[in-house]
């Protein structure tokens, strides 16, 4: 009897233990399900909305929406007008995050005011745009790069009001974040003097391949007013000269492209480019750099290119002597260049006029010219060079050039 009672008690205790374990397992399973459900409920898209509950935008069927790249690409889609507000609204409502919007290579003739997007880069290049609405980009508060190149914009249609932004107590209706503006290859011959008054953060401006011929007073005021300017492209604009004071205010300018113009001498405007690092004067009809027509003191300049200049014949004494920081120079494909003076780079030391100083040039490109002589004193440290290119010149084989064979050639073979 005692044994039976004990067995019954053990059985009852075991049953209680099993029941308790089952209840705990069920509770754990419910907790796990609840946790999974919570995770599903908390799954949102990059804009903070419930991605599963949002309908895809029809625009993503017409164009390409790249979620990972945060890009809306509608280039080369034969669009002859931009989408209307209701179409744009579907893109916003779909929750697609768009930081880059590409609308290039279509037939778009005008740009209306665009709706609110978190766009940082807007590409409207290669269209037929001749009209842009006032405050067209007002709601694009994060816009940093705007490409309007290869369109049909004129001085009359490109007005300051296009770039008006929202109220700011310190600036005049600014687009606060726009840093890069590309206006190349339009039908511009001049600029409104107040064109950039709403762009206080503008750092890079391209006007290339607009036929200006001269930069008139209004255009000079417009460019000169961009005090934050760092990069300026004025290539292939058929410019015969630059206003002397055009760079007086944007003294932070460090990149200037003047390729393919009609400049017959080194522009005096370079006197004000005190922080310039990169300069190209390729394809300008400059015949010589000598006498008073040499480069001014741009101590920060590191890169200089003067290539493909058909009339260039003479580079004289002191041509580059005031370019103390020069590291790389391209003097290439100048078929008439016969004379490169041995003191083109050197200058007298300000501390000791008897002692000569040279810029620490690391890369020298002299190929495809008509040079027959190269002075061994042109630069100080040939053995410290990274690149020396003197190919395709009719070098004379005489005593004056013997150093090229004995000293320069072994250095070239090492670089």
């Amino acid at each position: 009897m005692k044994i039976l009672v004990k067995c019954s008690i053990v059985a009852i205790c075991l049953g209680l233990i099993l029941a308790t374990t089952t209840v705990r397992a069920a509770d754990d399973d419910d907790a796990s399900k609840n946790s999974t459900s919570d995770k599903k409920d908390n799954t949102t898209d990059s804009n903070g909305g419930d991605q599963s509950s949002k309908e895809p935008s029809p625009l993503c069927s017409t164009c390409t929406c790249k979620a990972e790249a945060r890009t809306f690409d509608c280039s080369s889609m034969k669009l002859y007008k931009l989408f209307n507000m209701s179409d744009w609204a579907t893109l916003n409502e779909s929750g697609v995050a768009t930081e880059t919007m590409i609308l290039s290579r279509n037939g778009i003739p005008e740009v209306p005011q665009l709706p609110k997007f978190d766009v940082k880069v807007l590409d409207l290049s290669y269209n037929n745009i001749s009209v842009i609405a006032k405050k067209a980009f007002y709601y694009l508060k994060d816009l940093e790069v705007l490409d309007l190149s290869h369109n049909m914009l004129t001085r009359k249609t490109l007005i300051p009001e296009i770039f008006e932004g929202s109220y700011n107590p310190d600036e005049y209706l600014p687009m606060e974040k726009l840093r890069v503006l590309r206006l190349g290859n339009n039908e511009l011959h001049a600029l409104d003097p107040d064109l950039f008054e709403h762009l206080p953060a503008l750092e890079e401006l391209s006007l290339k391949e607009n036929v200006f011929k001269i930069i008139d007073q209004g255009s000079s005021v417009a460019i000169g007013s961009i005090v934050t300017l760092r990069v300026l492209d004025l290539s292939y604009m058929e410019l015969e000269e630059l206003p002397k004071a055009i760079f007086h205010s944007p003294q932070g300018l460090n990149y200037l492209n003047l390729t393919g113009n009609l400049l017959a001498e080194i522009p005096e405007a370079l006197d004000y480019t005190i922080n310039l690092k990169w300069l190209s004067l390729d394809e300008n009809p400059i015949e010589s750099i000598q006498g008073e027509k040499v480069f001014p003191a741009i101590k920060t300049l590191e890169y200089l290119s003067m290539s493909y200049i058909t009339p260039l014949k003479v580079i004289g004494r002191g041509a580059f002597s005031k370019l103390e920081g020069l590291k790389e120079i391209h003097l290439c494909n100048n078929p008439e260049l016969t004379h490169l003076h041995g003191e083109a780079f050197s200058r007298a030391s300000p501390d000791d006029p008897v002692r000569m100083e040279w810029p620490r040039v690391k890369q020298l490109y002299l190929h495809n010219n008509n040079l027959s002589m190269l002075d061994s004193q042109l630069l100080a440290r040939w053995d410290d060079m990274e690149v020396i290119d003197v190919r395709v010149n009719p070098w004379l084989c005489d005593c004056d050039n013997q150093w090229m064979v004995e000293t320069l050639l072994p250095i070239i073979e090492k670089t």
Side-chain angles (χ1 to χ4, degrees):
M1 177 66 74
K2 289 182 180 179
I3 293 172
L4 289 174
V5 171
K6 286 181 179 179
C7 289
S8 298
I9 292 171
V10 170
I12 292 169
C13 290
L14 183 60
L16 289 172
I17 291 170
L18 289 173
T20 302
T21 303
T22 302
V23 170
R24 285 179 180 172
D27 288 343
D28 290 342
D29 186 57
D30 289 342
S32 176
K33 288 180 179 179
N34 290 336
S35 174
T36 302
S37 177
D38 289 342
K39 287 179 181 177
K40 288 181 179 179
D41 291 342
N42 289 330
T43 300
T44 59
D45 63 17
S46 59
N47 286 336
D50 185 349
Q51 194 172 29
S52 62
S53 66
K54 293 186 175 181
E55 294 292 330
S57 170
L59 295 186
C60 292
S61 299
T62 305
C63 308
T64 303
C65 296
K66 302 174 183 177
E68 291 185 2
R70 295 174 174 261
T71 298
F72 176 77
D73 188 348
C74 214
S75 58
S76 303
M77 296 302 295
K78 298 183 179 179
L79 297 178
Y80 297 105
K81 65 176 182 178
L82 282 176
F83 306 110
N84 58 38
M85 285 296 186
S86 59
D87 291 331
W88 285 125
T90 65
L91 189 61
N92 267 330
E93 291 165 2
S94 70
V96 174
T98 303
E99 292 186 357
T100 299
M101 185 173 287
I102 306 172
L103 297 163
S104 61
R105 300 182 184 279
N106 289 294
I108 301 166
E110 60 181 293
V111 180
Q113 188 177 62
L114 297 172
K116 182 179 180 181
F117 286 107
D118 296 331
V119 170
K120 293 183 179 180
V121 178
L122 176 59
D123 186 350
L124 286 162
S125 63
Y126 291 93
N127 280 291
N128 296 321
I129 298 169
S130 60
V131 177
I132 303 176
K134 294 180 179 180
K135 298 186 178 182
F137 313 108
Y138 180 87
Y139 293 107
L140 306 183
K141 308 294 185 184
D142 295 321
L143 190 61
E144 297 180 8
V145 178
L146 176 59
D147 194 341
L148 292 168
S149 63
H150 296 271
N151 280 292
M152 301 174 68
L153 296 170
T154 65
R155 159 69 173 80
K156 184 177 180 180
T157 58
L158 191 65
I159 57 176
E161 291 81 2
I162 288 171
F163 303 111
E164 282 187 5
S166 54
Y167 171 77
N168 183 301
D170 300 318
E171 304 285 352
Y172 179 41
L173 303 176
M175 289 184 67
E176 295 181 321
K177 296 185 178 181
L178 191 69
R179 298 182 298 100
V180 179
L181 179 59
R182 299 182 183 126
L183 296 171
N185 297 86
N186 276 280
E187 296 182 4
L188 297 168
H189 305 298
L191 302 175
D192 186 299
D194 300 320
L195 183 59
F196 307 116
E197 65 181 352
H198 301 293
L199 306 178
L202 189 60
E203 295 181 0
E204 180 178 331
L205 174 65
S206 175
L207 292 167
K208 68 177 183 178
E209 297 188 50
N210 285 289
V211 181
F212 272 50
K213 292 188 180 292
I214 62 168
I215 295 180
D216 62 16
Q217 184 176 0
S219 302
S220 181
V221 169
I223 296 170
S225 69
I226 313 172
V227 296
T228 52
L229 194 61
R230 299 287 181 270
V231 176
L232 180 61
D233 191 342
L234 300 178
S235 59
Y236 299 101
M237 293 174 64
E238 298 188 17
L239 297 174
E240 298 178 0
E241 60 181 0
L242 295 178
K244 182 172 175 56
I246 190 172
F247 303 128
H248 182 270
S249 294
Q251 293 191 355
L253 186 68
N254 56 48
Y255 176 105
L256 178 60
N257 191 349
L258 295 171
T259 298
N261 284 295
L262 300 174
L263 302 170
E265 57 188 41
I266 307 303
E268 291 184 31
L270 294 178
D271 290 351
Y272 292 101
T273 58
I274 57 175
N275 289 299
L276 198 64
K277 292 184 178 180
W278 192 101
L279 174 63
S280 174
L281 283 163
D282 293 351
E283 298 178 56
N284 279 278
I286 299 171
E287 294 186 7
S288 66
I289 311 170
Q290 59 183 334
E292 296 181 357
K293 304 299 182 181
V294 298
F295 280 89
I298 313 174
K299 297 181 179 181
T300 56
L301 192 68
E302 297 179 356
Y303 176 100
L304 173 63
S305 185
M306 296 192 67
S307 301
Y308 300 96
I309 303 177
T310 303
L312 183 61
K313 296 179 175 65
V314 176
I315 296 177
R317 176 186 283 111
F320 313 118
S321 63
K322 298 176 184 177
L323 306 179
E324 298 179 17
L326 197 61
K327 295 180 180 179
E328 180 176 345
I329 184 165
H330 294 248
L331 301 169
C332 317
N333 298 287
N334 302 309
E336 299 298 319
L337 181 58
T338 58
H339 182 68
L340 177 57
H341 199 283
E343 296 178 16
F345 291 91
S346 60
R347 63 187 178 278
S349 170
D351 301 323
D352 181 2
V354 178
R355 183 167 60 89
M356 302 303 290
E357 294 181 349
W358 290 261
R360 299 189 65 180
V361 175
K362 294 289 187 179
Q363 300 184 36
L364 176 66
Y365 297 85
L366 293 175
H367 58 81
N368 292 80
N369 293 304
N370 198 21
L371 297 169
S372 58
M373 300 287 295
L374 187 64
D375 196 304
S376 63
Q377 298 302 308
L378 182 69
L379 295 171
R381 292 291 307 274
W382 293 99
D383 60 334
D384 198 33
M385 302 284 285
E386 296 172 356
V387 178
I388 305 170
D389 190 346
V390 296
R391 296 170 298 147
V392 197
N393 282 280
W395 303 115
L396 290 176
C397 187
D398 62 9
C399 295
D400 290 331
N401 277 342
Q402 184 64 28
W403 80 276
M404 294 180 68
V405 177
E406 296 177 352
T407 304
L408 192 59
L409 187 58
I411 295 172
I412 292 175
E413 290 175 345
K414 291 179 182 179
T415 58

